[in-house]
């Protein structure tokens, strides 16, 4: 943590923040090519000025890990486990589309309707459980979420009719949506500022690790039609176990202390009034984050949800071969998300996202053209290294863009509304591929999953590049002392120990020091 004596006090003055959408976009674009970061410095009297400050230098990741206290590690691990279980439950369906199509006697496109319904209702769950997390704490909303998710996995197993299957997966989406916001708020809210990029990357790749576990389970049970149920039983046990584990750990101390500090301001109904005020004040940021998350959710779902189906149909791999290649693909995602998330702390959130998206676009031909398990495993590894590398920045990027007091609601809702808008992605890929055919060297005429996924992913990657290029960044923003669910002046005041970078707000150390005397 920086102290008043070590913080920079003589930085180069910068022009004021632009006002309005177009001027702000222009300023953000220009700032992208300036290595120093624009910082808004404010004093205790509300007077502000802009200046340029040097970005953080690269640090040994071991030293960043050491900055977390044992308690911070505990909360991070629990949040990460919840996200892993959430991902396993979701991908238990997406990687077994072919099995489920045979089980219910429906097309693969029909089965992916369940994915669409799940993603549509996640935004509703994000709003409900995100608000509950900001109002009543991270603990019990997450416990309830995880237990119900496990029960819904079991209900899926006993859905004998296709309509029952769709209904249960819709309910699953409602409760699945409540996990993300509370998980990342609990995991990251106690992380030191300089360690956030690294920990954000590790946290986000809990989703990829959940996919790896689901693919391993699918590989272990074999390719028989009824074996999909075993994978769902495993998912149910994992979710219920995480919910039970969370019961034995306390509420976030940050949440408890923040609530005590904001108790007088939190009169009955104040939370909901403050939420409305936050939306009225931050609607532009909400719209931008939803737009960005729509691109990102198209990005991941288009590049991964139908990849196993692509290898089974167009590349004619066995279930075992496709599962092994899928595992390697997501190992690349875990590695890439961690490394690139770590790099974002020093290169900047936006520069890191843009670079990763551009490289993934360049890799598309090498991703869809190879034949055989080894080649597909290698190309899938590197493709997802950069796809999920860009995603590795998102948890902390959303947290830093969020109003400080709404870090459970804002990231969860914007992420899940983006998910809702992009919910037909897998269904669109399957529907187009099933009506478009290519002829292989063997003479077999197969569904064109590769070309459809490749073209769609290229368009999406470029959309991410341009959206991020003109968007805001608040790397290093201090939010540890915000009062959860109470957006008051005091909740936005920042300690002298913390620095805001890239259009975030900091307080002049000399004024803060005087205020303590």
């Amino acid at each position: 943590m920086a102290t008043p004596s070590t913080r920079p006090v003589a930085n180069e003055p910068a022009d004021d923040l632009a006002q309005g959408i177009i001027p702000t976009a222009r300023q953000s674009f220009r700032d992208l090519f300036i290595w120093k970061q624009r910082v808004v410095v404010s004093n205790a009297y509300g007077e502000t000025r802009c200046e340029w400050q040097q970005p953080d230098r690269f640090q040994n990741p071991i030293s960043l890990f050491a900055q977390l206290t044992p308690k911070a590690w505990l909360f991070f691990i629990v949040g990460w486990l919840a996200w892993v279980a959430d991902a396993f439950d979701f991908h238990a369906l997406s990687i077994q589309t072919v099995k489920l199509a045979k089980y219910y006697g429906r097309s693969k496109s029909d089965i992916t309707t369940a994915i669409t319904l799940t993603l549509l209702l996640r935004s509703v769950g994000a709003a409900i459980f995100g608000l509950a997390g900001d109002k009543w704490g991270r603990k019990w909303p997450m416990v309830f979420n995880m237990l119900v998710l496990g029960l819904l996995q079991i209900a899926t197993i006993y859905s004998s009719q296709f309509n029952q299957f769709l209904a249960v997966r819709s309910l699953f989406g409602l409760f699945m949506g409540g996990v993300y916001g509370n998980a990342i708020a609990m995991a990251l809210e106690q992380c030191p500022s300089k360690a956030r990029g690294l920990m954000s990357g590790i946290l986000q790749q809990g989703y990829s690790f959940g996919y790896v576990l689901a693919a391993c389970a699918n590989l272990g049970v074999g390719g028989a039609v009824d074996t999909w149920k075993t994978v769902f039983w495993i998912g149910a046990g994992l979710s219920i176990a995480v919910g039970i584990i969370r019961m034995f750990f306390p509420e976030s101390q940050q949440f408890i202390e923040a609530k005590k500090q904001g108790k007088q301001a939190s009169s009955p109904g104040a939370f909901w009034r403050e939420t409305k005020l936050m939306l009225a004040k931050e609607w532009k940021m909400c719209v931008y984050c939803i737009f960005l998350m729509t691109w990102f959710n198209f990005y991941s779902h288009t590049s991964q949800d139908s990849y196993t189906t692509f290898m089974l149909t167009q590349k004619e791999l066995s279930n075992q071969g496709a599962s092994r290649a899928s595992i390697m693909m997501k190992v690349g995602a875990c590695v890439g998300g961690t490394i690139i998330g770590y790099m974002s702390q020093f290169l900047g959130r936006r520069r890191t996202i843009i670079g990763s998206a551009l490289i993934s676009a360049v890799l598309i031909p090498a991703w869809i053209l190879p034949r055989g398990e080894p080649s597909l495993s290698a190309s899938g590894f590197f493709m997802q290294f950069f796809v999920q590398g860009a995603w590795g920045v998102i948890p902390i990027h959303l947290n830093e863009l969020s109003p400080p007091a709404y870090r459970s609601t804002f990231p969860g809702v914007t992420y899940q509304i983006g998910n809702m808008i992009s919910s037909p992605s897998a269904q669109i890929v399957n529907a187009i591929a099933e009506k478009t055919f290519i002829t292989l060297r063997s003479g077999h005429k197969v569904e064109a999953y590769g070309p459809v996924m490749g073209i769609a992913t290229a368009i999406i990657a470029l959309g991410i590049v341009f959206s991020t290029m003109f968007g805001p960044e608040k790397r290093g923003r201090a939010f540890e002392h915000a009062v959860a669910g109470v957006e008051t002046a005091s909740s936005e005041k920042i300690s002298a120990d913390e620095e805001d970078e890239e259009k975030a707000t900091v307080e002049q150390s000399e004024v803060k020091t005087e205020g303590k005397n």
Side-chain angles (χ1 to χ4, degrees):
M1 294 270 237
T3 63
S5 61
T6 61
R7 292 176 58 187
V9 293
N11 293 296
E12 180 185 349
D15 53 308
D16 291 335
L17 290 181
Q19 301 297 318
I21 295 175
I22 301 301
T24 299
R26 289 174 180 167
Q27 188 177 69
S28 295
F29 180 74
R30 290 196 306 269
D31 288 356
L32 195 63
F33 300 96
I34 300 172
W35 184 245
K36 291 183 179 181
Q37 284 134 54
R38 180 190 302 275
V39 177
V40 180
V41 181
S42 63
N43 60 25
Y45 306 103
E47 299 167 340
T48 63
R49 61 182 174 83
C50 291
E51 63 180 35
W52 297 108
Q53 293 184 3
Q54 291 289 347
D56 292 339
R57 295 180 179 179
F58 276 93
Q59 293 186 24
N60 186 331
I62 304 300
S63 68
L64 296 177
F65 286 143
Q67 292 182 18
L68 274 73
T69 65
K71 186 174 183 179
W73 270 113
L74 179 65
F75 279 89
F76 178 85
I77 291 170
V78 174
W80 183 82
L81 285 174
W83 192 219
V84 169
D86 195 38
F88 186 105
D89 290 344
F90 177 79
H91 290 299
L93 189 155
S94 67
I95 65 174
Q96 298 188 107
T97 300
V98 174
K99 291 182 187 177
L100 287 161
K102 292 177 181 178
Y103 182 82
Y104 286 108
R106 310 296 290 247
S107 70
K108 292 185 288 293
S109 180
D110 287 342
I111 297 300
T112 54
T113 302
I115 297 176
T116 302
L117 292 172
T118 296
L119 298 178
L120 276 171
L121 287 169
R122 279 170 69 169
S123 59
V124 180
I128 294 172
F129 290 101
L131 288 169
D134 283 332
K135 178 62 177 175
W136 294 295
R138 320 298 190 215
K139 179 177 180 177
W140 292 111
M142 181 179 289
V143 169
F144 183 66
N145 256 194
M146 301 311 298
L147 294 179
V148 174
L149 283 177
L151 294 175
L152 288 172
Q153 287 290 85
I154 296 172
T156 303
I157 295 168
Y158 289 102
S159 298
S160 57
Q161 302 296 321
F162 184 64
N163 287 338
Q164 295 173 355
F165 171 76
L166 292 180
V168 171
R169 297 314 290 179
S170 299
L171 281 174
F172 175 84
L174 183 68
F175 287 91
M176 183 182 181
V179 176
Y180 185 76
N182 280 321
I184 68 170
M186 185 178 71
L188 295 177
E189 65 187 4
Q190 298 190 56
C191 284
S193 176
K194 294 183 184 298
R196 289 180 196 157
L198 176 61
M199 303 310 293
S200 173
I202 295 172
L203 174 65
Q204 181 60 33
Q205 296 328 304
Y207 192 78
S208 297
F209 188 67
Y211 184 104
V212 170
L213 293 180
C216 287
N218 183 48
L219 177 62
V221 300
V225 173
D226 282 347
T227 56
W228 70 268
K229 296 180 179 180
T230 305
V231 178
F232 274 72
W233 275 115
I234 296 170
L238 185 60
S239 294
I240 292 172
V242 172
I244 293 172
I245 289 171
R246 184 67 184 96
M247 287 182 184
F248 293 97
F249 292 104
E251 180 58 83
S252 161
Q253 188 63 33
Q254 184 272 350
F255 178 85
I256 294 172
E257 292 177 356
K259 274 308 199 183
K260 288 179 180 177
Q261 294 171 12
K263 186 175 182 181
Q264 293 181 350
S266 299
S267 57
F271 175 81
W272 308 107
R273 290 195 299 272
E274 293 283 355
T275 300
K276 292 177 183 178
L277 289 173
M278 180 273 292
L279 291 173
K281 179 182 176 183
E282 301 283 352
W283 70 269
K284 292 178 184 178
M285 185 65 79
C286 287
V287 170
Y288 171 75
C289 289
I290 290 169
F291 188 71
L292 185 65
M293 288 300 95
T294 299
W295 279 123
F296 262 94
N297 281 291
F298 268 119
Y299 193 36
S300 59
H301 291 297
T302 301
S303 65
Q304 72 184 17
D305 286 0
S306 299
Y307 196 66
T308 303
T309 305
F310 157 71
M311 290 186 288
L312 289 170
T313 56
Q314 185 175 325
K315 299 302 179 180
E316 299 182 322
L317 296 186
S318 65
N319 179 73
Q320 289 77 13
S323 295
R324 286 191 294 265
S326 295
I327 291 168
M328 285 303 300
M329 173 185 75
K330 279 304 185 180
V331 169
C334 293
V335 176
T338 301
I339 292 175
I340 294 176
Y342 161 69
M343 292 173 63
S344 76
Q345 189 66 32
F346 315 102
L347 301 179
R349 313 297 186 209
R350 293 189 299 146
R351 293 188 191 102
T352 306
I353 290 171
I354 291 169
S356 296
L358 285 174
I359 294 173
S360 71
V362 171
L363 286 175
I364 287 173
W367 175 51
I368 62 173
L369 293 177
R371 296 182 58 81
E373 182 186 335
S375 298
L376 289 168
S377 297
S379 61
F381 178 96
F382 285 107
M383 182 65 177
Q384 288 300 318
F385 182 98
F386 291 102
V387 169
Q388 292 301 320
W391 260 108
V393 185
I394 288 300
I396 193 57
H397 189 43
L398 278 185
N399 256 268
E400 290 172 337
L401 294 178
S402 301
Y406 293 88
R407 294 188 323 277
S408 183
T409 307
F410 187 94
V413 170
T414 54
Y415 170 81
Q416 298 297 3
I417 291 179
N419 236 331
M420 178 183 70
I421 297 170
S422 66
S423 59
S425 54
Q427 195 171 11
I428 291 170
V429 168
N430 278 270
I432 296 175
E434 287 178 353
K435 295 179 181 178
T436 310
F437 296 90
I438 59 173
T439 302
L440 303 179
R441 293 178 183 176
S442 62
H444 295 168
K445 194 174 183 181
V446 297
E447 296 159 336
Y449 277 93
V452 173
M453 290 166 58
I455 293 170
T457 303
I459 294 170
I460 293 162
L462 292 176
I464 288 173
V465 168
F466 287 108
S467 299
T468 306
M469 193 178 291
F470 297 101
E473 181 173 343
K474 297 183 179 181
R475 175 159 48 113
R477 186 181 195 180
F479 45 59
E480 289 81 354
H481 305 290
V483 180
V486 181
E487 190 73 18
T488 63
S490 62
S491 72
E492 292 191 318
K493 195 172 183 181
I494 297 173
S495 165
D497 290 341
E498 299 296 339
E499 274 189 52
D500 267 327
E501 301 170 25
E502 288 277 311
K503 297 187 182 178
T505 303
V506 298
E507 190 170 350
Q508 294 183 44
S509 60
E510 60 272 19
V511 174
K512 185 70 174 180
T513 304
E514 291 172 7
K516 292 180 180 179
N517 294 330

